[in-house]
Amino acid sequence: MAEPVRVAILISGSGSNMVRLVESMTGDHPARPVLVLSNVPDAGGLARARALGVPTAVVDHRAYPDRAAFEAALHDRLASARADLICLAGFMRVLTAPFVARWQGRMLNIHPSLLPKYRGLDTHARALAAGDAEAGCSVHEVTPDLDAGPVLGQARVPVLPGDTPESLARRVLEQEHRLYPEVLRRVAAGDRRAVTIDAGQSGGG
């Protein structure tokens, strides 16, 4: 039987997507979590990861003189955990091209828009300002260009009358929690065909 794919999850905050990923990697899942790492020492997700029995680490970007030194320490910690695959889950640091190149094809990210729309920040406000009928989230491979890598999965969420960025964000997050584990399972099994989830009218208002 093949060895499971070793997954490291990078977070900066509460780690809600991280929790869903960890919870999914049981039974016949082709991957297992080996590390949850944060660049923020007091990130809430670290305690949640420890409660789930996953080893944790902190590489505080503020402790390094520049981005290259931070990323060298980050790479060393991931390598020492023998990670095969990285999942970015609310990791609020833009990674440089040299770091991404070292993990090319082995790093995933979830982004709260239907890429290629609305790369970067404030995605829900931008979707509402544009009058979009639907919003959603995307899981993509990380490439040197921000939020521009091949899309491996999307979940579509209808924009409802009276939506605010906050209400839309809540409904999109529910679908992130469905989509990311599904894409991770497929990628860990060697299947990179894109998956689509249509939330329809689920999630209410």
Side-chain angles (χ1 to χ4, degrees):
M1 184 175 179
E3 287 291 316
V5 174
R6 299 172 63 86
V7 176
I9 305 170
L10 273 53
I11 65 171
S12 295
S14 64
S16 69
N17 269 308
M18 174 274 296
V19 169
R20 299 310 188 280
L21 292 173
V22 169
E23 290 176 341
S24 75
M25 285 184 273
T26 59
D28 64 354
H29 198 288
R32 289 293 183 270
V34 297
L35 180 69
V36 170
L37 183 150
S38 181
N39 65 307
V40 179
D42 59 354
L46 292 170
R48 300 174 80 178
R50 288 191 290 268
L52 291 166
V54 182
T56 62
V58 173
V59 180
D60 185 347
H61 63 278
R62 296 169 298 184
Y64 297 89
D66 54 36
R67 195 178 294 265
F70 163 67
E71 290 185 348
L74 180 62
H75 175 83
D76 288 348
R77 190 63 189 82
L78 293 165
S80 69
R82 295 188 293 117
D84 301 310
L85 186 68
I86 300 171
C87 289
L88 306 182
F91 186 67
M92 303 305 292
R93 301 295 296 172
V94 175
L95 297 165
T96 66
F99 182 91
V100 171
R102 298 177 82 171
W103 293 90
Q104 190 74 49
R106 298 188 293 147
M107 185 158 42
L108 308 179
N109 182 48
I110 189 157
H111 181 74
S113 80
L114 295 173
L115 293 172
K117 283 188 172 183
Y118 313 128
R119 298 171 182 167
L121 302 176
D122 302 321
T123 58
H124 306 300
R126 291 158 69 191
L128 292 174
D132 291 353
E134 63 179 6
C137 53
S138 307
V139 177
H140 64 94
E141 284 187 30
V142 178
T143 62
D145 293 329
L146 182 67
D147 300 327
V151 172
L152 301 174
Q154 291 188 319
R156 298 177 177 276
V157 176
V159 175
L160 303 180
D163 256 337
T164 64
E166 293 75 24
S167 65
L168 183 57
R170 285 193 295 272
R171 291 205 317 285
V172 170
L173 185 61
E174 292 174 7
Q175 300 310 316
E176 291 181 31
H177 293 164
R178 294 177 60 196
L179 178 68
Y180 211 172
E182 174 65 21
V183 173
L184 173 60
R185 174 184 278 272
R186 292 165 70 101
V187 169
D191 183 355
R192 294 192 175 232
R193 292 174 297 175
V195 59
T196 301
I197 294 174
D198 188 343
Q201 295 295 326
S202 66

